[in-house]
């Protein structure tokens, strides 16, 4: 005895929506006994957040080996400790003796150049443990805030001493301080031009504009911290600190100078290399 199965017309064929994530019947002709059953869903691999993070990490893995990344993070933590010690000790010393005259000068240039500017030049550095996870737009905002604070405090501190000396600066510390003051004003002006690089692109290309700002920023920071180094040899500091502490502060300042300059120098190298290829 043969069993006749009902024929299925083309209008009763199974219809499955493979791109939907909503709850619906799997088949119009043969509905599922479970009405909450979900249809098959597909997500493009390149649209997956996990894939985006994985691709981002793989790109970084290609450009830098993992041991090198760990070394950069370790050096950055060491640098943060140096910056913190210098800032805290100078703040303690100047606040204890009074913020007037040379004391105010020393405090302003320290928090301006050694703290705010040091942190500002490292914001976009990939090895910075404090800002590595931020978006580029957020990093740019932080960079601007820190550099305005650093440049403002540093320039004000240098100007106080120059007025006090009648602009007659004969020592190495004084001459370097005047140079840092001028470079600071130029760097801040070039930073404003870099912010408006798309508006002035008819006069200078955005890449060249930002490379010039990068160079002035590094030059200002290097001269400022070398000035800080010679500042530990002035009478204000030698009368208030022992010889061992003077040596320690000099070493910490030089270490901070070297480690803080890694990121800006790498960025400057990439931009100069790109410009040379376009010539």
């Amino acid at each position: 005895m043969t069993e006749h199965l009902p024929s299925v017309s083309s209008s009763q064929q199974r219809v499955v929506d493979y791109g939907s994530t909503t709850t619906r019947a799997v088949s119009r002709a043969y509905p599922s006994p479970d009405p909450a059953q979900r249809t098959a869903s597909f997500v493009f691999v390149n649209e997956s957040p996990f894939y985006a993070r994985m691709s981002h990490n793989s790109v970084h893995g290609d450009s830098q080996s993992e041991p090198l990344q760990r070394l950069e993070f370790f050096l950055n933590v060491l640098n943060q400790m140096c910056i913190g010690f210098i800032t805290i000790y100078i703040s303690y010393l100047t606040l204890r003796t009074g913020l007037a005259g040379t004391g105010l000068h020393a405090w302003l240039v320290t928090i301006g150049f050694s703290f705010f500017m040091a942190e500002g030049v490292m914001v976009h550095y990939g090895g910075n443990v404090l800002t590595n996870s931020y978006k580029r737009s957020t990093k740019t905002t932080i960079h601007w805030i820190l550099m305005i604070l650093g440049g403002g405090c540093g320039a004000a501190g240098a100007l106080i001493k120059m007025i006090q000396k009648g602009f007659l600066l004969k020592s190495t510390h004084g001459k370097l301080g005047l140079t840092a003051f001028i470079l600071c004003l130029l760097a801040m002006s070039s930073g404003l031009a870099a912010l408006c690089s798309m508006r002035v692109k008819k006069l200078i290309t955005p890449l060249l504009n930002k490379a010039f700002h990068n160079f002035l920023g590094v030059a200002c920071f290097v001269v400022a911290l070398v000035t800080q180094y010679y500042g530990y040899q002035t009478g204000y500091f030698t009368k208030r600190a022992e010889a061992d502490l003077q040596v320690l502060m000099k070493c910490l300042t030089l270490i901070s100078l070297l480690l803080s300059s890694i990121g800006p120098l790498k960025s400057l190298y990439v931009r100069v290399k790109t410009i040379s290829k376009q010539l």
Side-chain angles (χ1 to χ4, degrees), residues 51-257:
Y51 176 80
R53 291 192 297 268
M54 182 178 64
S55 302
H56 183 267
N57 293 335
S58 63
V59 170
H60 281 277
D62 293 336
S63 60
Q64 287 183 324
S65 61
E66 185 175 349
L68 182 58
Q69 286 182 343
R70 292 181 178 180
L71 177 61
E72 288 187 340
F73 281 130
F74 169 76
L75 293 177
N76 185 258
V77 172
L78 177 63
N79 187 25
Q80 300 291 350
M81 295 171 63
C82 294
I83 294 173
F85 184 87
I86 293 171
T87 305
I88 292 174
Y89 178 76
I90 295 297
S91 297
Y92 163 76
L93 181 66
T94 54
L95 291 173
R96 182 171 60 91
T97 56
L99 290 177
T102 304
L104 180 60
H105 156 74
W107 183 69
L108 285 175
V109 295
T110 298
I111 65 169
F113 294 131
S114 295
F115 179 65
F116 286 126
M117 187 170 286
E119 295 291 347
V121 299
M122 293 190 298
V123 168
H124 288 285
Y125 175 41
N128 190 346
V129 296
L130 299 179
T131 60
N132 182 49
S133 60
Y134 293 160
K135 297 179 181 179
R136 182 170 181 81
S137 58
T138 305
K139 291 181 180 181
T140 302
T141 303
I142 296 174
H143 171 77
W144 265 97
I145 294 174
L146 291 175
M147 296 307 288
I148 291 175
L149 291 174
C153 292
L159 185 61
I160 288 174
K161 196 62 179 178
M162 287 187 290
I163 294 175
Q164 186 180 5
K165 290 285 187 179
F167 292 90
L168 298 176
L169 307 173
K170 299 180 180 180
S171 64
T172 303
H173 174 70
K175 294 177 181 178
L176 288 174
L178 176 61
T179 305
F181 174 77
I182 297 173
L183 288 174
C184 179
L185 297 180
L186 292 176
M188 295 180 70
S189 301
S190 67
L192 182 61
L195 183 64
C196 306
S197 58
M198 299 305 296
R199 299 181 181 178
V200 297
K201 62 181 180 180
K202 294 183 179 179
L203 300 176
I204 183 174
T205 62
L207 180 61
L208 186 61
N209 192 359
K210 292 180 180 180
F212 182 65
H213 169 64
N214 199 163
F215 170 76
L216 284 178
V218 172
C220 174
F221 177 70
V222 170
V223 174
L225 260 66
V226 173
T227 306
Q228 180 98 357
Y229 175 89
Y230 280 99
Y232 300 131
Q233 299 178 0
T234 60
Y236 176 85
F237 193 77
T238 55
K239 294 177 181 178
R240 293 167 174 81
E242 298 180 357
D244 294 341
L245 185 57
Q246 297 173 28
V247 174
L248 175 62
M249 295 297 289
K250 289 180 179 179
C251 292
L252 293 180
T253 301
L254 292 179
I255 293 173
S256 176
L257 168 60

